[in-house]
Amino acid sequence: MSLDIQKIRNDFPLILNRQVRGKPLIYFDNAATSQKPRCVIDSLVHYYEHSNANIHRGIHTLSQEATDQYEEVRKKIAKFVHASTPSSVVFTRNTTESINLVAYAWGRKNIQPGDEILLTEMEHHSNLVPWQILAQEKGAVLKFVHLNEDGTLNLDELQKNVNSRTKLISVTHVSNALGTINPIRRFAQMAHSVGALFLVDAAQSAPHIPIDMRVLGCDILVFSAHKMLGPTGVGVLVAHEEFLEEIAPFMSGGDMIREVWLDRSTWNDIPHKFEAGTPNIADVIAFGVALDYLQQIGMENIRLHEQELVEYAVKQLLNIKGLKIYGPEDHSLKSGVISFNLGSIHPHDLGTVLDEDGIAVRAGHHCCQPLMRRFGLSGTTRASFYIYNMKEEIDKFVKSLDRAKMLFDACAPSMSQSAKPLQMDSNLLKTKKIGKL
């Protein structure tokens, strides 16, 4: 089913119609955060105007209303990812906090000296640094599945690196830097063959492709609301109930307790024992509206739309001399992300020129420095698409890249032909009238 993109764009009436530097905004930074439809924004206002109260504590009407709305979202998430029960859904602030919760609450009890933690070379720092800290504290060993030249994982290393000492495998479902979609089911089979815990970072997959935990075979799934039309400040951890029952709380204080004495405490039922203090009530409720919106469109339709945009964009971009795209050429192995470099133009410089044309992209290492080192890069320019993006925007994007290439070739012909990256952030862009070229 083809999406009615203009109808969808009408649900984002202000920000998608705004001007940036005198040009219509083209928002290609969706892998960092998505825009929010009017219904999500309205739901925030409605909560604060009609049901604002703390949850789980009050017997008055407003508190009960807020609690019901908050807990209803837990049910929606369980349905969205096909979790076994709503009590397996824990709210956090973001994907990073969800991973840290596992590292602290499970890792510090279960990881011992000599145990092995298997990651991949493409992980976001959020799925790398917590395990580095844990391994250093516990004397554990980090192992990695490395990248092939095409941006896919070397799965032969997966087989070689999994053994009886493997206690955790933690892997991204979709690379935020390359768009690579990983074969999660294969990782699950290897993890469970040796009794290892298996965590999937779904921050870049939950907004874009259908998610079924039963099919993926993961023990833990983590993602964030703000990348999938929801507000910032809401993360999700979904895990088997037995796992959540076994591990200790990550944070302590109010509402995560059952009984408290002066010298000891007992914990609340799951998932509440992991949600200490007043949670982000309004934004969780608004996230439920975002989930309804995505479900109405259909996750499979979103996936097909993004594939169409990627195929169209890649075909256009490959006509630009000197432009190199990183990641799988097979679009069935790729999400709506295109990571590239244009000649020796520094990504920050290229992003600045694109911004002059109202085009928002991400430039840098994308919190994936080991991945960048694997390809000998300091960074890339990343364009990432979502449900409201159109082919017409890609056409303007390509024209802006052509303009940027002309600009840098004209301003620094000797440097643009050099293998060394340009270093013009502080001088060139201040002295040249980019917008007039």
Side-chain angles (χ1 to χ4, degrees), residues 8-304:
I8 290 173
R9 288 177 68 88
N10 290 339
D11 293 332
F12 302 76
L14 297 180
I15 199 159
L16 294 186
N17 288 322
R18 69 162 291 186
Q19 299 276 309
V20 172
R21 301 183 186 275
K23 305 287 181 64
L25 170 66
I26 296 175
Y27 189 78
F28 284 171
D29 194 21
N30 295 286
T33 197
S34 69
Q35 299 303 329
K36 324 303 175 191
R38 171 57 62 189
C39 59
V40 170
I41 298 170
D42 287 345
S43 70
L44 287 168
V45 176
H46 186 273
Y47 165 78
Y48 282 122
E49 289 184 340
H50 295 275
S51 302
N52 181 39
N54 217 325
I55 59 172
H56 298 151
R57 320 186 207 274
I59 60 172
H60 60 82
T61 298
L62 265 62
S63 178
Q64 291 178 355
E65 286 179 356
T67 299
D68 290 344
Q69 293 175 54
Y70 184 89
E71 291 301 327
E72 183 63 27
V73 180
R74 213 185 294 272
K75 297 176 184 177
K76 291 180 180 180
I77 292 170
K79 183 178 180 180
F80 187 80
V81 300
H82 298 276
S84 57
T85 174
S87 61
S88 64
V89 176
V90 176
F91 289 117
T92 64
R93 291 182 303 168
N94 43 54
T95 304
T96 301
E97 185 176 288
S98 295
I99 294 172
N100 274 273
L101 189 158
V102 178
Y104 279 84
W106 174 84
R108 277 157 181 77
K109 178 181 179 181
N110 291 277
I111 295 296
Q112 304 298 324
D115 286 347
E116 295 180 359
I117 298 170
L118 182 61
L119 310 170
T120 79
E121 198 175 17
M122 67 168 58
E123 297 308 317
H124 189 283
H125 296 164
S126 295
N127 196 32
L128 173 58
V129 178
W131 308 120
Q132 290 176 339
I133 294 173
L134 178 64
Q136 290 165 4
E137 289 182 3
K138 293 294 186 177
V141 178
L142 295 182
K143 289 195 169 183
F144 295 90
V145 177
H146 292 91
L147 283 159
N148 298 315
E149 286 297 324
D150 67 351
T152 60
L153 292 172
N154 184 343
L155 295 179
D156 290 339
E157 293 184 349
L158 172 62
Q159 181 78 34
K160 294 176 182 176
N161 283 321
V162 175
N163 54 64
S164 60
R165 295 186 300 276
T166 306
K167 294 298 182 287
L168 169 74
I169 297 179
S170 188
V171 61
T172 183
H173 192 176
V174 173
S175 167
N176 72 304
L178 302 175
T180 308
I181 301 175
N182 290 319
I184 293 301
R185 184 67 185 177
R186 184 163 176 182
F187 279 87
Q189 292 168 346
M190 291 302 301
H192 296 152
S193 70
V194 295
L197 187 71
F198 181 41
L199 184 151
V200 172
D201 175 357
Q204 296 293 335
S205 59
H208 303 285
I209 60 180
I211 298 291
D212 189 332
M213 290 186 68
R214 300 167 301 181
V215 175
L216 295 178
C218 57
D219 301 305
I220 305 167
L221 188 80
V222 295
F223 55 96
S224 296
H226 72 96
K227 296 180 188 292
M228 47 198 304
L229 307 184
T232 57
V234 176
V236 176
L237 182 152
V238 189
H240 299 309
E241 287 183 294
E242 306 81 49
F243 172 82
L244 295 176
E245 293 281 8
E246 171 196 340
I247 63 175
F250 175 39
M251 298 182 70
S252 56
D255 207 43
M256 49 74 63
I257 52 85
R258 182 183 302 279
E259 291 185 282
V260 176
W261 294 265
L262 289 178
D263 60 346
R264 67 192 186 280
S265 301
T266 58
W267 312 136
N268 201 345
D269 294 333
I270 62 168
H272 306 296
K273 77 172 184 176
F274 298 104
E275 297 176 8
T278 299
N280 193 351
I281 304 167
D283 290 332
V284 166
I285 292 171
F287 181 38
V289 176
L291 289 173
D292 291 340
Y293 189 94
L294 291 173
Q295 294 279 52
Q296 184 177 4
I297 293 174
M299 296 307 299
E300 189 60 46
N301 293 326
I302 293 171
R303 169 67 178 143
L304 292 173

Side-chain angles (χ1 to χ4, degrees), residues 28 176-179 313-314 317-318 320-327 334 337-348 350-351 354 359-364 366 371-372 377-385 397-398 400-402 404-405:
F28 284 171
N176 72 304
L178 302 175
V314 167
L317 292 172
L318 290 178
I320 301 176
K321 186 176 180 180
L323 189 143
K324 178 176 176 56
I325 297 174
Y326 303 93
K334 191 176 180 67
V337 170
I338 300 177
S339 196
F340 65 94
N341 277 318
L342 180 53
S344 56
I345 303 174
H346 194 285
H348 292 167
L350 186 56
L354 291 170
I359 302 171
V361 296
R362 183 67 43 158
H366 315 302
L371 181 151
M372 294 298 158
L377 303 169
S378 61
T380 67
T381 303
R382 183 186 71 189
S384 50
F385 310 128
F397 173 54
V398 171
S400 186
L401 289 172
D402 283 330
K405 186 174 186 302

